[in-house]
Amino acid sequence: MKKIFTKITAFILIAILICACNAVKRVPEEKNLLIKNDIIVNGKSTNDETASNQMYQKPNSNLLGYRLRLNLYNLAKLNPDSTYQAKFKNNPGKYERQSKILSAKQVDRLGQSFLYKGIHEFLKKTGEPPVIIDTSKTKKTLLRLKSYYFNNGYFNVAMNYNIDSVGYKRAKINYNITTGTAYTLDSIRRSISTPALDSLYKTNPEPPILKSGNQFKTSDFEEEKNRITTYFRNHGAYYFQPTYVTFDVDTIGKKNKADINLIIKDNSIQEKDSSRTEPFKLYKISDVNIYTDYSPAHAKSKIKDSTTYNNFNLYSYDKLKYKPRAITDAIFISKGGTYADFRTTLSSRYLNNLKIFNYPSIQYEVDKRDSTAQSLIAKVYLTPRKKYSFGATLDLTHSNIQDFGIGASVSETIRNVFNRAETLEISARVNVGSSKDMANPNDNFFNVSEYGVDMKLNFPRILMPFGTEKIIPKSMIPSTSVSAGFSKQRNIGLDKENFTGGLSYLWSPKRYNSAKLDLLNVQYVRNLNPDNYFKVYTSSYDELNGIGKDYNVNTDNWGDSPEEQDRKNLTIPQGTTGFTDDVINNRTALKPADPKYQDVKSIEERRIRLTENDFILATSYTFTKTTKKDLADNTFYQFKTKIESAGTLLSAISSVASLPKNSRGNYDIFNLEYSEYIKTEFDYIKHWDFGKEKVLAVRSFFGIAIPFGNSDYVPFSRSYYSGGSNDNRAWQPYALGPGSTNAVNDFNEANMKLALSGEFRFKIFGDVKGAIFADAGNIWNVLDNVTDEKAKFSSLNDFDEIALGSGFGLRYDLSFFVIRLDLGFKTYNPAHDKGDRWFKEYNFGHSVLNFGINYPF
């Protein structure tokens, strides 16, 4: 063993030496490969990311210190065509011999094949040429660095560079910077030529960015420009631009201080070959004209239909197809109001949200009817989308239930259904798939199927019998959605029919906030094949059957044939039902105090819960707040909370109406016990961007659903599970918990969940990214009818049942989505005995490979 270890160590050292030598393979003599840029500020190295971004040359990328792309590039032949031809030039007979076997044309083609040329092109494209130190670029970098520090108030900065050799054909560049003392802002004055703007400046409630005592930073001056411009343009200054804001910086006679004079001159107007200046004007809106069916083809046509509604003028080149209010509700620009940029932006957002127009355009022109030339006509150009649009998709799918599936869907969208900008979406879908986890007696490959129909009607307003404008103004872009759906699953577990319906309201209290109220959320789940339970939940059957072998007293439960009697396996469903009934009614040797009796009772309670039909009538409220501005934003947080109440309304009606209860003491609706519970969730995501495509992402989640009143458990569809590609990646979906039970069931779920994940993402090369992650969490039963102490959360000591998984992953970024592979290892498994939980299964044999689309959070 010791000799083998020595050989492996020697092999690794030789490999490292070969790779190290290979790194400078294409570095010319008397040149150096750039190994590092070291920025030394006042004698100390700095990791200032912005300063590092000033470099004209950066070292070759590396993966954990190894320059993979550089070495790939060095493996390639730079001129594979010449190398191939030289092979025959040096040996003419070889070309003739190969030509006889293949043909001259095929031999020539062989030189263009992947084996001879393509592989080298691939290596060059995937790889990265060596970054050779270029002193001209180094000097340009010095100028950039000087400008960077100057813009941050270091007016007396001094700098130089030197190149240090760090090995054979290798060197690093030291940028030596002496900043001196930073300048600060002293007195701040303003000089605004237009009296109207000067008055506006005084009324701006936002505090100025530039303040006496602050360090001089050019970026602060830009922010102040934008602050002033935004305020002016939102208060009538239509022609004002940031370029009109300038600053005079005076450092004469000052020691490390600067006096600032903010200057805003009058409007400069260009007229043919001359220009003139005049004070800025603050504009009012004299008219709002809306062209409801504009297109370039109509631009010179005559208006055929028009109307005026609430001071809005609506025009149509054909017959007007919209009720005026449907359009005017989306326009926040009002006749007689002051011009404001934010009203234009808000109107564009609302019009886009209607989903019945293509790229609405809002333009302004000076109203020539106004002798003071201080009025604007707002022109809103709307290009309708097609009233009907058809869509079809074909997908390959993978889910927690299906190993492989083929899905197809068709959809039809109808716009402006009732001439008030409503949209109706109707879709149908079908899916067939394969699952090794499902009961499959005929051994068919496509052993699962599902089809469904959905309808969704969207109104761009709040539909209520009373006005809601004071509570949810139209500036929050409210909408109402009415939905209904039906789906049917075959050979998936117990086979199900699922009926859904809902009435929900959506609005945006602020720019990056959203709120959703599901006033009515109805779901009816009907199990078509409850007798199949023990064929699907095989672990429950194995446990029950094991107890039955020892305690069953009714031979009919083994079956009728002699072979079945000999095997002594409970038949499904007659034998399992018979044995369970015998145990619970004390017809066996098991008594209520026996642990095995409790096991049988627990198995039966779970069977009843998962085979009963569910009726859920819920109301929920969801609030989401995020600071994420776009897809490229990697410094943001997102907070989402939800509270849901089910069955409360039905219980209140039943109680007031004094309706009778069933034999179990619960209320029925349509001969079905409805679910009653309260559920709440908190989800928080935070990202930190460390530059150079390094991102730390953290997610925390807590959810709990408490049954009460008409229920002593939460329906399966509203419970929680743990594990999977977007959860704890060291466990398969439904394979973790509850608590320390070691996932005794096939689909483990519970009514409380805690999860915490962290992931450090980094670039490997090109569009290939890497990640190191850790996922913690578990699920528990709390305040329901589960009696297993290992599955329950009963005290703070149960926090030691939080599982920990860790691992690494690869991602390939395709811009519009990310393909993700994660390999998770069980680091701390609460299913094991205490003292034996850490790293017990930390190996490839117990690892879990997850495939996912996009990042998990």
Side-chain angles (χ1 to χ4, degrees), residues 41-57:
V41 180
N42 300 323
K44 294 182 180 180
S45 292
T46 179
N47 292 320
D48 186 338
E49 181 68 25
T50 309
S52 296
N53 288 336
Q54 311 305 315
M55 303 291 143
Y56 273 94
Q57 282 189 301

Side-chain angles (χ1 to χ4, degrees), residues 630-731:
D630 52 51
L631 291 174
D633 189 353
N634 281 321
T635 300
F636 72 93
Y637 73 85
Q638 177 179 299
F639 174 72
K640 182 178 181 181
T641 184
K642 178 179 180 180
I643 184 167
E644 177 179 326
S645 175
T648 308
L649 178 63
L650 293 175
S651 286
I653 294 173
S654 299
S655 179
V656 170
S658 299
L659 298 179
K661 294 184 178 181
N662 61 21
S663 58
R664 295 176 55 185
N666 293 329
Y667 291 115
D668 286 339
I669 182 170
F670 310 122
N671 295 320
L672 178 66
E673 289 185 12
Y674 55 84
S675 298
E676 188 170 10
Y677 61 87
I678 188 165
K679 183 179 184 179
T680 186
E681 295 177 350
F682 301 92
D683 195 353
Y684 180 77
I685 296 172
K686 173 69 176 173
H687 284 208
W688 291 270
D689 191 342
F690 295 104
K692 296 183 180 179
E693 300 191 55
K694 293 183 177 70
V695 176
L696 175 63
V698 172
R699 181 195 181 194
S700 59
F701 175 88
F702 174 75
I704 186 170
I706 302 173
F708 67 96
N710 215 54
S711 299
D712 54 7
Y713 58 82
V714 175
F716 183 88
S717 61
R718 303 299 171 97
S719 60
Y720 298 106
Y721 72 91
S722 194
S725 62
N726 294 324
D727 197 70
N728 198 319
R729 285 162 278 186
W731 278 264

Side-chain angles (χ1 to χ4, degrees), residues 86-105:
K87 181 172 69 170
F88 297 115
K89 192 176 289 185
N90 298 331
N91 190 354
K94 188 174 183 179
Y95 183 84
E96 293 177 6
R97 288 193 300 272
Q98 290 196 7
S99 297
K100 289 178 181 179
I101 299 171
L102 298 174
S103 81
K105 189 175 182 181

Side-chain angles (χ1 to χ4, degrees), residues 813-849:
D813 192 344
L814 294 172
S815 297
F816 47 94
F817 70 91
V818 174
I819 297 174
R820 174 166 54 90
L821 285 174
D822 289 319
L823 187 64
F825 298 89
K826 295 176 179 63
T827 309
Y828 178 86
N829 190 347
H832 295 304
D833 294 333
K834 291 184 177 181
D836 203 22
R837 294 176 173 179
W838 284 100
F839 302 106
K840 183 70 175 178
E841 299 170 301
Y842 202 88
N843 52 60
F844 285 100
H846 291 91
S847 64
V848 174
L849 181 64

Side-chain angles (χ1 to χ4, degrees), residues 551 553 578-594 597-598 600:
Y551 294 97
V553 294
F579 175 65
T580 301
D581 187 62
D582 288 343
V583 171
I584 293 176
N585 289 286
N586 298 316
R587 292 193 288 267
T588 70
L590 290 172
K591 302 303 176 186
D594 296 333
Y597 180 97
Q598 294 300 323
V600 173

Side-chain angles (χ1 to χ4, degrees), residues 2 4 63 92 106 110 156 221 249 296 318 345 370 379 398 430 440 449 453 485 520 550 555 557 583 630 725 758 814:
K2 192 172 182 180
I4 294 174
L63 176 62
Q106 287 178 324
L110 191 61
N156 300 315
F221 287 82
V249 181
D318 293 313
T345 303
D370 183 359
K379 295 185 175 182
H398 169 78
V430 63
N440 187 16
S449 64
V453 179
L520 294 174
D550 296 329
T555 57
N557 293 335
V583 171
D630 52 51
S725 62
L814 294 172

